[in-house]
Amino acid sequence: MNHIPRTRTVVSCVVLVTALGAGITACGSDGDPLSATPYDAAGLISFNAPTEVGKRADPDKPLEISVKDEGRITDVTAQDSTGRFVAGELTADGSRWHSTSPLAASAHYTVTVSTEDDDGAPGRKVLSFDTTQPTAKKQLGVTFGPDAGEYGVGQIITAQLSEEVKDPAQRAVVERALRVDSVPAVPGSWYWVSGKELHYRPKEYWPAHATILVHSNLDGVKIGDRLWGGKSKPVKLTTGDRIEAVTDAAAHELTVFKNGAVINAIPVTTGKPGFETRNGVKVVLEKQYFVRMRGTTVGIAEGSRDNYDLPVYYATRVTWSGEYVHAAPWSVGSQGYANVSHGCTGMSTANARWFFDTVHEGDIVRVVNSNGQPMEPFGNGFGDWNVTWKKWRTGSALTGAQTNGQSSSDTVRLQPAAV
């Protein structure tokens, strides 16, 4: 737990008489009252939750702890039986602490309050209480994606919500409870794509051979009126080698990197005028050995000169609208020299088979020097990496709100954050 340290001067060592007992505690051997065993601070603090057996606290109400004039609160830790912490704010003078995140319903909490008296001697009190059952009829479910397994370092994590959440404060409650932990650890953030969908990505790509754990701590937490968090299934992901394919549409070449080293350079053809391949970073969505590709599915009129109906093999998909890296034996003569496709990246069957066997879902496919439109950030696959990190953080209900303001100067925010 971190808090802003208070500067103080200990003038002398005095005999401390505890508020509740007759025991006398001497100063530590080094003459500093802080080295003494904490006294029982029960007589100093007031607590607004019932601690009697059989009584339960209302999770809709914030926790409040105050201290008498002869002392001050230095730290508060509130945690439920599942390990979820409650965030809170402490006034600058240490006279009052209150929770700033909602309590969970049907939960058992342990609260540790640390104090000091006017002479700097430390006190402590541990309290426990239970919260009541929720009265809401709606529960917010969270479904994480993708499924457990190994992915490329560009894989985006998604969270689909069962109910729409629009209110910024409620979004903050939800987002704070959605946890993504990786080994090795890297900075990352959620982005609210809509009221029912969030995406998570690190600042940079995931490290190679990382382990990523995704879970929700929303169960039993109040989000809004008649809406409480429900249970969700955690997901464990791993990443493989860093595989990145870079297509230079002007040079008609696709270069494949493995952990930063070039492992292949393939002659290709990309989108011709009017059908230019999208520029930017995409992520492998799926691999299909055989796909029947028809121009009518991408808006080309049947019977027109540009319409097509082709059997395609070794198709690696990078957009939901139909952009693939695939075998195109009919255009081998143009591969490496000209762009003649309808937007896909075409190569020989042998090269397409090698590419198909080398890349995996979540690997990076980047296109440069094309005259096409930029890859969409959302809605057509995973274009999330085309959003700058500064802009990405504005899509968070937590960090986005911090860019234009600061915490109040008269409070100290205690960590760790809630849930």
Side-chain angles (χ1 to χ4, degrees):
M1 302 289 285
N2 297 321
H3 57 84
I4 297 175
R6 180 181 293 104
T7 302
R8 60 173 175 265
T9 301
V10 179
V11 177
S12 63
C13 180
V14 298
V15 176
L16 303 177
V17 180
T18 63
L20 293 182
I24 299 177
T25 305
C27 294
S29 60
D30 59 1
D32 187 347
L34 293 179
S35 65
T37 301
Y39 60 85
D40 188 341
L44 281 180
I45 63 173
S46 299
F47 184 56
N48 73 329
T51 58
E52 299 89 348
V53 176
K55 292 188 177 181
R56 293 177 178 267
D58 183 353
D60 286 346
K61 296 181 179 179
L63 287 180
E64 292 186 3
I65 301 170
S66 57
V67 68
K68 295 181 179 179
D69 290 341
E70 60 265 30
R72 52 186 168 263
I73 299 170
T74 59
D75 198 12
V76 177
T77 302
Q79 185 180 25
D80 73 5
S81 57
T82 68
R84 295 180 293 192
F85 287 92
V86 178
E89 287 184 346
L90 178 64
T91 56
D93 62 2
S95 63
R96 178 178 174 273
W97 177 93
H98 70 279
S99 60
T100 57
S101 61
L103 300 177
S106 303
H108 178 77
Y109 281 93
T110 300
V111 182
T112 302
V113 184
S114 297
T115 66
E116 64 182 17
D117 65 12
D118 289 340
D119 295 308
R124 184 168 300 143
K125 182 61 180 176
V126 178
L127 304 158
S128 62
F129 67 95
D130 298 302
T131 55
T132 59
Q133 295 277 350
T135 58
K137 293 184 178 180
K138 286 186 178 180
Q139 285 193 327
L140 183 73
V142 183
T143 302
F144 294 114
D147 294 334
E150 182 176 297
Y151 295 87
V153 300
Q155 182 61 48
I156 301 298
I157 294 171
T158 63
Q160 298 288 341
L161 308 182
S162 61
E163 303 287 339
E164 187 171 25
V165 179
K166 295 182 179 180
D167 180 74
Q170 293 179 15
R171 285 189 174 190
V173 172
V174 172
E175 186 177 332
R176 191 176 287 115
L178 304 182
R179 302 301 301 269
V180 180
D181 302 306
S182 68
V183 179
V186 290
S189 179
W190 289 100
Y191 189 106
W192 285 81
V193 178
S194 70
K196 297 184 71 172
E197 181 179 4
L198 295 85
H199 286 191
Y200 186 97
R201 50 157 274 207
K203 182 178 181 181
E204 308 292 343
Y205 299 130
W206 295 104
H209 307 293
T211 299
I212 305 160
L213 301 176
V214 188
H215 65 281
S216 168
N217 283 329
L218 270 177
D219 186 25
V221 173
K222 183 180 180 181
I223 299 165
D225 292 339
R226 300 179 63 79
L227 181 63
W228 293 74
K231 295 182 182 297
S232 64
K233 182 180 178 181
V235 173
K236 179 180 179 179
L237 311 176
T238 58
T239 58
D241 292 316
R242 174 169 172 156
I243 303 294
E244 184 174 6
V246 180
T247 300
D248 188 331
H252 317 293
E253 185 175 72
L254 181 151
T255 305
V256 181
F257 298 82
K258 181 178 180 179
N259 298 324
V262 175
I263 59 173
N264 207 350
I266 300 171
V268 297
T269 182
T270 63
K272 63 185 179 180
F275 298 91
E276 291 91 345
T277 306
R278 293 171 180 82
N279 268 305
V281 180
K282 302 147 195 175
V283 173
V284 174
L285 301 175
E286 61 181 358
K287 299 193 299 181
Q288 297 166 275
Y289 170 69
F290 170 78
V291 179
R292 181 183 175 187
M293 294 190 179
R294 291 169 288 185
T296 53
T297 63
V298 292
I300 299 175
E302 188 172 359
S304 70
R305 184 178 63 178
D306 283 315
N307 192 37
Y308 55 88
D309 189 341
L310 295 169
V312 175
Y313 294 88
Y314 301 109
T316 301
R317 187 170 201 152
V318 293
T319 74
W320 294 123
S321 62
E323 187 179 320
Y324 290 82
V325 179
H326 63 76
W330 54 84
S331 65
V332 169
S334 298
Q335 293 165 17
Y337 302 99
N339 292 323
V340 298
S341 82
H342 289 85
C344 292
T345 299
M347 58 185 66
S348 70
T349 300
N351 283 330
R353 181 189 302 116
W354 179 90
F355 186 83
F356 187 90
D357 292 339
T358 301
V359 302
H360 304 85
E361 188 175 338
D363 282 335
I364 305 155
V365 177
R366 182 160 58 99
V367 176
V368 298
N369 298 325
S370 170
N371 292 323
Q373 295 295 317
M375 174 63 183
E376 305 93 324
F378 310 110
N380 194 20
F382 293 129
D384 307 55
W385 299 107
N386 299 291
V387 181
T388 66
W389 181 242
K390 182 178 181 180
K391 183 176 180 180
W392 183 268
R393 284 170 59 82
T394 66
S396 163
L398 301 176
T399 59
Q402 295 173 2
T403 56
N404 297 319
Q406 298 179 346
S407 298
S408 173
S409 60
D410 64 346
T411 61
V412 178
R413 239 176 232 285
L414 300 180
Q415 298 296 329
V419 297

